[in-house]
Amino acid sequence: DGDYREWHQMLVDNGVKIVAPALWMLVTSDATTSELGILPSDYASSAQEHGLDIIAWTLERSPPGLTGDDVWYWQSLQDNDLNDGDKFALL
């Protein structure tokens, strides 16, 4: 995750009210702090701090067992071994 605060401030300064990142940009993985190991990302926290509304891409589904480049939609959570129910909980 990068530091998105300057970016979000620039958006707000220019009248932007809504951001629409891919879902993986809104979450990060930390198995030590939550049941599913899913937490808000720096991007999501920064957008919220700047008062931006968030519209996430639709919840993308991928078949189990994908690795490497095949997990683009879930790249921030690829080590969590999520099943379909876990992905639904994220939604």
Side-chain angles (χ1 to χ4, degrees):
D1 288 312
D3 184 5
Y4 299 99
R5 284 160 183 73
E6 287 183 29
W7 171 252
H8 287 140
Q9 186 60 55
M10 186 273 304
L11 293 176
V12 170
D13 291 347
N14 285 283
V16 174
K17 299 188 183 308
I18 302 169
V19 292
L23 185 62
W24 68 264
M25 290 186 67
L26 298 175
V27 293
T28 191
S29 180
D30 184 350
T32 64
T33 58
S34 74
E35 183 178 336
L36 293 176
I38 300 172
L39 298 173
S41 68
D42 289 345
Y43 184 99
S45 297
S46 174
Q48 186 176 27
E49 289 168 12
H50 285 86
L52 293 163
D53 289 331
I54 299 171
I55 300 173
W57 290 14
T58 184
L59 188 64
E60 301 296 341
R61 66 183 183 110
S62 301
L66 294 180
T67 59
D69 292 339
D70 295 329
V71 295
W72 189 86
Y73 291 111
W74 296 100
Q75 61 186 286
S76 62
L77 301 174
Q78 66 183 344
D79 294 332
N80 288 52
D81 193 30
L82 300 177
N83 62 40
D84 287 343
D86 297 333
K87 293 173 183 178
F88 184 72
L90 171 60
L91 180 60

